[in-house]
PDB file of all heavy atoms in Angstrom:
ATOM      1  N   LEU A 250      34.046 -40.737 -10.136  1.00 97.00           N
ATOM      2  CA  LEU A 250      34.770 -39.469 -10.149  1.00 97.00           C
ATOM      3  C   LEU A 250      35.415 -39.221 -11.504  1.00 97.00           C
ATOM      4  O   LEU A 250      35.372 -38.100 -12.037  1.00 97.00           O
ATOM      5  CB  LEU A 250      35.836 -39.451  -9.047  1.00 97.00           C
ATOM      6  CG  LEU A 250      36.650 -38.158  -8.948  1.00 97.00           C
ATOM      7  CD1 LEU A 250      35.753 -36.971  -8.632  1.00 97.00           C
ATOM      8  CD2 LEU A 250      37.752 -38.291  -7.892  1.00 97.00           C
ATOM      9  N   GLN A 251      36.004 -40.255 -12.095  1.00 97.00           N
ATOM     10  CA  GLN A 251      36.649 -40.061 -13.395  1.00 97.00           C
ATOM     11  C   GLN A 251      35.627 -39.736 -14.490  1.00 97.00           C
ATOM     12  O   GLN A 251      35.906 -38.944 -15.403  1.00 97.00           O
ATOM     13  CB  GLN A 251      37.474 -41.297 -13.794  1.00 97.00           C
ATOM     14  CG  GLN A 251      36.721 -42.619 -13.845  1.00 97.00           C
ATOM     15  CD  GLN A 251      36.761 -43.357 -12.520  1.00 97.00           C
ATOM     16  OE1 GLN A 251      36.766 -42.739 -11.464  1.00 97.00           O
ATOM     17  NE2 GLN A 251      36.784 -44.688 -12.586  1.00 97.00           N
ATOM     18  N   ASP A 252      34.436 -40.319 -14.394  1.00 97.00           N
ATOM     19  CA  ASP A 252      33.395 -39.981 -15.365  1.00 97.00           C
ATOM     20  C   ASP A 252      32.860 -38.565 -15.145  1.00 97.00           C
ATOM     21  O   ASP A 252      32.488 -37.887 -16.109  1.00 97.00           O
ATOM     22  CB  ASP A 252      32.245 -40.988 -15.286  1.00 97.00           C
ATOM     23  CG  ASP A 252      32.497 -42.227 -16.119  1.00 97.00           C
ATOM     24  OD1 ASP A 252      33.444 -42.204 -16.935  1.00 97.00           O
ATOM     25  OD2 ASP A 252      31.760 -43.218 -15.973  1.00 97.00           O
ATOM     26  N   GLN A 253      32.818 -38.136 -13.910  1.00 97.00           N
ATOM     27  CA  GLN A 253      32.413 -36.755 -13.638  1.00 97.00           C
ATOM     28  C   GLN A 253      33.348 -35.780 -14.341  1.00 97.00           C
ATOM     29  O   GLN A 253      32.909 -34.827 -14.988  1.00 97.00           O
ATOM     30  CB  GLN A 253      32.417 -36.492 -12.130  1.00 97.00           C
ATOM     31  CG  GLN A 253      31.378 -37.273 -11.342  1.00 97.00           C
ATOM     32  CD  GLN A 253      31.532 -37.069  -9.850  1.00 97.00           C
ATOM     33  OE1 GLN A 253      31.814 -35.967  -9.381  1.00 97.00           O
ATOM     34  NE2 GLN A 253      31.357 -38.137  -9.086  1.00 97.00           N
ATOM     35  N   VAL A 254      34.658 -36.035 -14.219  1.00 97.00           N
ATOM     36  CA  VAL A 254      35.657 -35.164 -14.852  1.00 97.00           C
ATOM     37  C   VAL A 254      35.512 -35.217 -16.368  1.00 97.00           C
ATOM     38  O   VAL A 254      35.549 -34.176 -17.049  1.00 97.00           O
ATOM     39  CB  VAL A 254      37.077 -35.570 -14.424  1.00 97.00           C
ATOM     40  CG1 VAL A 254      38.117 -34.766 -15.192  1.00 97.00           C
ATOM     41  CG2 VAL A 254      37.257 -35.383 -12.921  1.00 97.00           C
ATOM     42  N   ARG A 255      35.335 -36.425 -16.918  1.00 97.00           N
ATOM     43  CA  ARG A 255      35.180 -36.565 -18.369  1.00 97.00           C
ATOM     44  C   ARG A 255      33.943 -35.818 -18.858  1.00 97.00           C
ATOM     45  O   ARG A 255      33.971 -35.129 -19.884  1.00 97.00           O
ATOM     46  CB  ARG A 255      35.061 -38.049 -18.746  1.00 97.00           C
ATOM     47  CG  ARG A 255      36.321 -38.869 -18.528  1.00 97.00           C
ATOM     48  CD  ARG A 255      36.132 -40.274 -19.066  1.00 97.00           C
ATOM     49  NE  ARG A 255      37.242 -41.136 -18.703  1.00 97.00           N
ATOM     50  CZ  ARG A 255      37.181 -42.103 -17.792  1.00 97.00           C
ATOM     51  NH1 ARG A 255      36.046 -42.338 -17.149  1.00 97.00           N
ATOM     52  NH2 ARG A 255      38.234 -42.844 -17.516  1.00 97.00           N
ATOM     53  N   PHE A 256      32.854 -35.970 -18.134  1.00 97.00           N
ATOM     54  CA  PHE A 256      31.602 -35.343 -18.542  1.00 97.00           C
ATOM     55  C   PHE A 256      31.719 -33.828 -18.535  1.00 97.00           C
ATOM     56  O   PHE A 256      31.310 -33.152 -19.488  1.00 97.00           O
ATOM     57  CB  PHE A 256      30.471 -35.802 -17.621  1.00 97.00           C
ATOM     58  CG  PHE A 256      29.142 -35.168 -17.922  1.00 97.00           C
ATOM     59  CD1 PHE A 256      28.458 -35.468 -19.088  1.00 97.00           C
ATOM     60  CD2 PHE A 256      28.571 -34.262 -17.035  1.00 97.00           C
ATOM     61  CE1 PHE A 256      27.231 -34.876 -19.380  1.00 97.00           C
ATOM     62  CE2 PHE A 256      27.351 -33.673 -17.312  1.00 97.00           C
ATOM     63  CZ  PHE A 256      26.678 -33.984 -18.483  1.00 97.00           C
ATOM     64  N   VAL A 257      32.274 -33.274 -17.471  1.00 97.00           N
ATOM     65  CA  VAL A 257      32.449 -31.827 -17.391  1.00 97.00           C
ATOM     66  C   VAL A 257      33.339 -31.337 -18.526  1.00 97.00           C
ATOM     67  O   VAL A 257      33.055 -30.311 -19.164  1.00 97.00           O
ATOM     68  CB  VAL A 257      33.043 -31.432 -16.023  1.00 97.00           C
ATOM     69  CG1 VAL A 257      33.447 -29.961 -16.008  1.00 97.00           C
ATOM     70  CG2 VAL A 257      32.038 -31.710 -14.911  1.00 97.00           C
ATOM     71  N   ARG A 258      34.415 -32.060 -18.800  1.00 95.00           N
ATOM     72  CA  ARG A 258      35.322 -31.675 -19.888  1.00 95.00           C
ATOM     73  C   ARG A 258      34.601 -31.723 -21.234  1.00 95.00           C
ATOM     74  O   ARG A 258      34.744 -30.828 -22.067  1.00 95.00           O
ATOM     75  CB  ARG A 258      36.539 -32.597 -19.913  1.00 95.00           C
ATOM     76  CG  ARG A 258      37.609 -32.170 -20.933  1.00 95.00           C
ATOM     77  CD  ARG A 258      38.720 -33.201 -21.054  1.00 95.00           C
ATOM     78  NE  ARG A 258      39.308 -33.504 -19.766  1.00 95.00           N
ATOM     79  CZ  ARG A 258      39.456 -34.740 -19.274  1.00 95.00           C
ATOM     80  NH1 ARG A 258      39.037 -35.782 -19.996  1.00 95.00           N
ATOM     81  NH2 ARG A 258      40.011 -34.936 -18.106  1.00 95.00           N
ATOM     82  N   ASN A 259      33.806 -32.782 -21.465  1.00 95.00           N
ATOM     83  CA  ASN A 259      33.073 -32.899 -22.724  1.00 95.00           C
ATOM     84  C   ASN A 259      32.104 -31.745 -22.915  1.00 95.00           C
ATOM     85  O   ASN A 259      32.072 -31.105 -23.975  1.00 95.00           O
ATOM     86  CB  ASN A 259      32.275 -34.215 -22.751  1.00 95.00           C
ATOM     87  CG  ASN A 259      33.151 -35.448 -22.884  1.00 95.00           C
ATOM     88  OD1 ASN A 259      32.742 -36.528 -22.498  1.00 95.00           O
ATOM     89  ND2 ASN A 259      34.362 -35.296 -23.407  1.00 95.00           N
ATOM     90  N   VAL A 260      31.304 -31.482 -21.896  1.00 96.00           N
ATOM     91  CA  VAL A 260      30.260 -30.470 -22.017  1.00 96.00           C
ATOM     92  C   VAL A 260      30.849 -29.082 -22.256  1.00 96.00           C
ATOM     93  O   VAL A 260      30.330 -28.307 -23.064  1.00 96.00           O
ATOM     94  CB  VAL A 260      29.372 -30.458 -20.752  1.00 96.00           C
ATOM     95  CG1 VAL A 260      28.443 -29.255 -20.741  1.00 96.00           C
ATOM     96  CG2 VAL A 260      28.558 -31.742 -20.670  1.00 96.00           C
ATOM     97  N   THR A 261      31.937 -28.767 -21.587  1.00 95.00           N
ATOM     98  CA  THR A 261      32.491 -27.413 -21.682  1.00 95.00           C
ATOM     99  C   THR A 261      33.347 -27.200 -22.927  1.00 95.00           C
ATOM    100  O   THR A 261      33.459 -26.070 -23.407  1.00 95.00           O
ATOM    101  CB  THR A 261      33.328 -27.092 -20.435  1.00 95.00           C
ATOM    102  OG1 THR A 261      34.315 -28.114 -20.240  1.00 95.00           O
ATOM    103  CG2 THR A 261      32.449 -27.027 -19.204  1.00 95.00           C
ATOM    104  N   SER A 262      33.968 -28.265 -23.454  1.00 94.00           N
ATOM    105  CA  SER A 262      34.916 -28.077 -24.565  1.00 94.00           C
ATOM    106  C   SER A 262      34.441 -28.639 -25.899  1.00 94.00           C
ATOM    107  O   SER A 262      35.097 -28.418 -26.914  1.00 94.00           O
ATOM    108  CB  SER A 262      36.262 -28.724 -24.207  1.00 94.00           C
ATOM    109  OG  SER A 262      36.108 -30.122 -24.018  1.00 94.00           O
ATOM    110  N   TRP A 263      33.322 -29.330 -25.940  1.00 94.00           N
ATOM    111  CA  TRP A 263      32.835 -29.947 -27.178  1.00 94.00           C
ATOM    112  C   TRP A 263      32.094 -28.889 -27.997  1.00 94.00           C
ATOM    113  O   TRP A 263      30.880 -28.816 -28.005  1.00 94.00           O
ATOM    114  CB  TRP A 263      31.920 -31.117 -26.843  1.00 94.00           C
ATOM    115  CG  TRP A 263      31.712 -32.077 -27.983  1.00 94.00           C
ATOM    116  CD1 TRP A 263      32.199 -31.978 -29.243  1.00 94.00           C
ATOM    117  CD2 TRP A 263      30.941 -33.276 -27.920  1.00 94.00           C
ATOM    118  NE1 TRP A 263      31.794 -33.041 -29.995  1.00 94.00           N
ATOM    119  CE2 TRP A 263      31.019 -33.867 -29.210  1.00 94.00           C
ATOM    120  CE3 TRP A 263      30.207 -33.908 -26.928  1.00 94.00           C
ATOM    121  CZ2 TRP A 263      30.368 -35.058 -29.510  1.00 94.00           C
ATOM    122  CZ3 TRP A 263      29.561 -35.097 -27.228  1.00 94.00           C
ATOM    123  CH2 TRP A 263      29.650 -35.663 -28.500  1.00 94.00           C
ATOM    124  N   ARG A 264      32.843 -28.088 -28.705  1.00 94.00           N
ATOM    125  CA  ARG A 264      32.283 -26.936 -29.414  1.00 94.00           C
ATOM    126  C   ARG A 264      31.349 -27.349 -30.547  1.00 94.00           C
ATOM    127  O   ARG A 264      30.398 -26.634 -30.864  1.00 94.00           O
ATOM    128  CB  ARG A 264      33.402 -26.053 -29.969  1.00 94.00           C
ATOM    129  CG  ARG A 264      34.300 -25.443 -28.892  1.00 94.00           C
ATOM    130  CD  ARG A 264      35.129 -24.296 -29.450  1.00 94.00           C
ATOM    131  NE  ARG A 264      34.299 -23.219 -29.962  1.00 94.00           N
ATOM    132  CZ  ARG A 264      33.760 -22.269 -29.197  1.00 94.00           C
ATOM    133  NH1 ARG A 264      33.966 -22.270 -27.897  1.00 94.00           N
ATOM    134  NH2 ARG A 264      33.026 -21.315 -29.750  1.00 94.00           N
ATOM    135  N   ALA A 265      31.597 -28.488 -31.147  1.00 95.00           N
ATOM    136  CA  ALA A 265      30.740 -28.941 -32.249  1.00 95.00           C
ATOM    137  C   ALA A 265      29.322 -29.232 -31.790  1.00 95.00           C
ATOM    138  O   ALA A 265      28.395 -29.254 -32.602  1.00 95.00           O
ATOM    139  CB  ALA A 265      31.343 -30.190 -32.900  1.00 95.00           C
ATOM    140  N   MET A 266      29.137 -29.456 -30.493  1.00 96.00           N
ATOM    141  CA  MET A 266      27.818 -29.768 -29.944  1.00 96.00           C
ATOM    142  C   MET A 266      27.175 -28.570 -29.241  1.00 96.00           C
ATOM    143  O   MET A 266      26.258 -28.721 -28.440  1.00 96.00           O
ATOM    144  CB  MET A 266      27.922 -30.941 -28.965  1.00 96.00           C
ATOM    145  CG  MET A 266      28.217 -32.277 -29.608  1.00 96.00           C
ATOM    146  SD  MET A 266      26.884 -32.848 -30.718  1.00 96.00           S
ATOM    147  CE  MET A 266      27.665 -32.611 -32.325  1.00 96.00           C
TER     148      MET A 266
END
Side-chain angles (χ1 to χ4, degrees):
L250 181 61
Q251 57 269 34
D252 275 348
Q253 294 174 39
V254 174
R255 292 186 188 107
F256 178 69
V257 171
R258 186 187 306 128
N259 289 156
V260 170
T261 54
S262 62
W263 198 357
R264 297 196 61 82
M266 290 296 108

